[in-house]
Amino acid sequence: MQKYYMTFSDECPKYIQIANNIRKLIEQEILADGEKLPSIRELAKFLKVNKDTIISAYKLLSQEGAVVQILGSGSYAKKKEIIRSFKKEYRETFKKLTSGGLKEWIDFTGETTSANFVPVNNLKKAINEVLDRDGAEALIYQDVMGYEKLRDSINDRFWNNEVSLDNILIVSGAQQGIDIISKSLINVNDNVAIEKPTYIGALNVFKWRKANIIEIPMEEDGVNIKLFEKILKRYKIKCFYMMSYFQNPTGITYSKEKKKKLLELSLKYDFYIIEDDYLSELIYDDSIEYYPIKKMDDHNRVIYIKSFSKIFLPGIRMGYIITPDEFRESFQISKSNTDISTSSLMQRSLEVYISKGYWTNHMEYIEKEYHSRYILMKTILENELKDLVDFIDPKGGLSFYITIKSEVNKNSKELFYILREKNTFITPGVMFYKNSKDGENTFRLGFSQVSSEKIIEGLENIYQGLKGR
């Protein structure tokens, strides 16, 4: 029993600390693969905690796949090499897709707009105008906050000049924005709440910061608020990362009621909301109103992130953060330490692109193009695959999140391998969870990189794969 000995800190839930310790024992092979763990009663007595704490720790480890619980027998250590191997294999496959290493494929993994929709001609006009106007000045480093005219255009076009320019920080895409916020806000063992499931990139950043990650399950209009408040009553949460529109991967959009409640909770329990405004330009249904939480934020509780990369220029990383006053300086320092400043030429070109009205025209164009793909995929899912899968209609965005019905004898990892043989690629749900065992019956289908013909062909391959043919 001595190898289970540990001391507890006050900042993190005890069950998470116990789970972390047991996981470390397994990874370091102090606990052998298949070795039986102490009973709940024994470990609770040894660590001087209540039994519910041990139950929660064992349940968490079981969800991760680090422990196998056998009814009437006990809990046993288990290495996670299979899941890790799958995630590694998926990433390698994805690299081949994005690098052009695989030909004639059907790519349902895409999260960004198609290269066919990149506004090359108008972008060339904007770049040429900048070079003619500014000359070499366009190629030097900008102020760390970003090109002032671009920040002014963002404020005017998207925020009705209601935001202080000093609080708008230009960043190299949403991923860098999340990283900058994490470095400035999150310390080792801080508690960070996230949606369950969530965006892979954000999850990896919080893991890298060695935060204690607490998942809040998603419902059809946002996270489970009642469960979230129970967690807030027990633990000090530093921040909550969320995607208000067409959440990645579920496609869920938050209701206005839940947005208001989240703001109330942030004030009551003193935490910050990191709002990743993901794909809100692509709304296909009038029932969805564009109103980010940041527009409702009267007390500076929301850190807002917006990327132009997903829908505008995927290869040119560009976005911005709206910072609360108290983090302005630390965010600037973190940005400067990362890459000094984002491309001056592209900042100036984007400013021209927005001010000339090209942005509005481009958004109208891609909304029309993607709306038709959305309708096509939705129609096939509802009619041809209705006996095999369920899904929540996202009513916007670039993907569907699919749940395989329980009577279908397949999980999403098995389907991934079947489809790979047909040069068709999906993103299995396990990629979006902290714990490896979650999401095995789900997968994401993106339609941004596939033509209508490929959508029809790819969904037929999925149908055949789920039917075992």
Side-chain angles (χ1 to χ4, degrees):
M1 288 290 288
Q2 194 59 35
K3 59 188 172 187
Y4 294 96
Y5 176 77
M6 59 181 296
T7 57
F8 297 101
S9 70
D10 295 330
E11 296 299 318
C12 174
K14 286 184 179 179
Y15 81 93
I16 292 179
Q17 295 180 64
I18 293 168
N20 288 344
N21 187 53
I22 293 174
R23 190 185 308 107
K24 186 176 180 181
L25 293 175
I26 296 170
E27 290 172 353
Q28 294 178 347
E29 298 185 348
I30 297 171
L31 278 173
D33 190 24
E35 182 175 340
K36 188 174 182 179
L37 274 60
S39 70
I40 292 168
R41 184 188 300 274
E42 288 173 336
L43 192 55
K45 183 177 180 181
F46 178 74
L47 295 177
K48 297 179 181 178
V49 297
N50 62 51
K51 290 190 291 184
D52 287 343
T53 301
I54 304 300
I55 290 171
S56 296
Y58 279 7
K59 182 179 179 181
L60 176 59
L61 289 165
S62 176
Q63 290 172 339
E64 293 178 355
V67 161
V68 175
Q69 292 183 302
I70 300 174
L71 188 64
S73 178
S75 300
Y76 298 83
K78 186 177 187 300
K79 285 189 176 182
K80 297 191 292 179
E81 292 172 355
I82 294 175
I83 286 293
R84 287 176 178 170
S85 175
F86 173 77
K87 288 189 173 183
K88 181 180 179 182
E89 188 169 353
Y90 173 82
R91 292 187 186 104
E92 289 174 352
T93 301
F94 184 75
K95 284 179 183 178
K96 289 180 181 178
L97 277 173
T98 54
S99 67
L102 295 172
K103 303 298 183 184
E104 300 301 321
W105 67 85
I106 300 172
D107 180 13
F108 287 130
T109 69
E111 296 180 71
T112 59
T113 55
S114 170
N116 296 331
F117 299 151
V118 172
V120 175
N121 290 332
N122 285 337
L123 182 61
K124 283 168 65 177
K125 291 178 185 178
I127 292 173
N128 288 335
E129 180 173 330
V130 168
L131 291 173
D132 290 341
R133 183 191 69 193
D134 300 339
E137 183 75 15
L139 304 175
I140 66 172
Y141 284 131
Q142 283 299 315
D143 181 280
V144 69
M145 291 293 295
Y147 182 48
E148 185 172 342
K149 285 188 177 180
L150 174 58
R151 290 186 286 128
D152 190 54
S153 290
I154 288 169
N155 199 11
D156 178 58
R157 172 64 179 80
F158 304 114
W159 296 94
N160 297 317
N161 294 308
E162 296 172 356
V163 177
S164 169
L165 282 190
D166 291 337
N167 288 1
I168 297 177
L169 172 65
I170 303 298
V171 294
S172 301
Q175 185 67 32
Q176 187 187 71
I178 297 167
D179 186 59
I180 285 170
I181 293 167
S182 296
K183 289 176 180 176
S184 304
L185 189 64
I186 300 169
N187 298 311
V188 174
N189 288 330
D190 277 346
N191 295 323
V192 175
I194 63 172
E195 298 161 327
K196 180 181 182 181
T198 194
Y199 167 52
I200 304 167
L203 184 57
N204 289 337
V205 168
F206 299 140
K207 285 181 177 179
W208 182 77
R209 292 298 296 169
K210 299 188 184 304
N212 298 312
I213 301 170
I214 300 175
E215 296 174 299
I216 316 298
M218 291 291 286
E219 298 179 323
E220 291 194 9
D221 63 342
V223 290
N224 183 324
I225 292 291
K226 288 184 179 180
L227 178 59
F228 192 14
E229 184 158 21
K230 285 182 180 179
I231 289 169
L232 290 166
K233 286 177 180 178
R234 293 188 64 188
Y235 311 117
K236 171 61 181 172
I237 301 295
K238 178 66 76 69
C239 59
F240 169 53
Y241 171 79
M242 52 87 69
M243 308 179 85
S244 46
Y245 286 85
F246 315 123
Q247 192 257 5
N248 188 3
T250 65
I252 289 169
T253 293
Y254 278 73
S255 65
K256 202 164 187 178
E257 292 72 24
K258 282 202 171 174
K259 292 174 186 175
K260 290 178 180 177
K261 187 61 180 177
L262 284 171
L263 281 172
E264 292 171 7
L265 293 177
S266 71
L267 283 170
K268 183 176 180 180
Y269 295 101
D270 189 25
F271 66 91
Y272 286 91
I273 298 170
I274 303 173
E275 181 183 16
D276 190 344
D277 185 358
Y278 177 71
L279 295 180
S280 59
E281 293 82 0
L282 299 178
I283 295 173
Y284 309 137
D285 192 294
D286 291 340
S287 66
I288 297 180
E289 176 189 10
Y290 177 64
Y291 210 85
I293 296 181
K294 186 62 185 174
K295 285 185 179 288
M296 307 163 66
D297 179 24
D298 296 325
H299 300 279
N300 278 322
R301 305 309 300 180
V302 178
I303 304 166
Y304 178 88
I305 306 172
K306 184 65 183 178
S307 173
F308 296 110
S309 304
K310 295 289 185 188
I311 54 171
F312 180 49
L313 296 172
I316 300 172
R317 311 300 297 167
M318 189 84 71
Y320 67 95
I321 303 172
I322 299 178
T323 71
D325 291 339
E326 65 181 285
F327 298 122
R328 184 190 304 159
E329 184 176 353
S330 63
F331 284 9
Q332 290 179 37
I333 292 171
S334 181
K335 166 64 176 173
S336 180
N337 289 339
T338 301
D339 66 0
I340 303 179
S341 69
T342 299
S343 167
S344 174
L345 175 60
M346 293 316 303
Q347 287 189 63
R348 291 166 186 256
S349 300
L350 179 58
E351 185 276 323
V352 170
Y353 196 88
I354 292 172
S355 64
K356 291 284 187 180
Y358 297 150
W359 173 268
T360 300
N361 293 337
H362 181 61
M363 288 304 105
E364 290 175 353
Y365 170 67
I366 65 168
E367 190 276 338
K368 180 180 178 182
E369 291 291 332
Y370 284 126
H371 190 184
S372 64
R373 297 187 190 185
Y374 154 80
I375 292 295
L376 174 62
M377 183 171 279
K378 177 184 172 184
T379 300
I380 295 173
L381 289 170
E382 287 178 335
N383 295 321
E384 306 300 327
L385 280 82
K386 62 182 179 181
D387 295 329
L388 302 173
V389 302
D390 291 313
F391 67 93
I392 295 172
D393 182 0
K395 300 180 180 179
L398 293 173
S399 64
F400 287 81
Y401 195 58
I402 310 298
T403 301
I404 302 171
K405 289 190 174 183
S406 57
E407 57 266 31
V408 178
N409 190 28
K410 290 282 188 307
N411 63 46
S412 59
K413 294 197 298 295
E414 292 170 333
L415 182 62
F416 171 82
Y417 289 120
I418 292 169
L419 293 174
R420 191 171 66 175
E421 295 301 312
K422 301 174 182 286
N423 286 334
T424 303
F425 298 93
I426 60 171
T427 305
V430 294
M431 303 300 297
F432 303 103
Y433 290 84
K434 182 182 75 168
N435 302 324
S436 301
K437 200 173 180 181
D438 289 326
E440 289 189 338
N441 67 329
T442 63
F443 59 96
R444 189 187 64 196
L445 280 181
F447 51 83
S448 66
Q449 302 295 326
V450 280
S451 64
S452 296
E453 294 76 14
K454 292 291 187 182
I455 288 174
I456 294 169
E457 182 183 350
L459 289 178
E460 174 62 23
N461 290 340
I462 290 172
Y463 175 85
Q464 297 294 342
L466 290 172
K467 292 290 282 187
R469 298 174 186 170

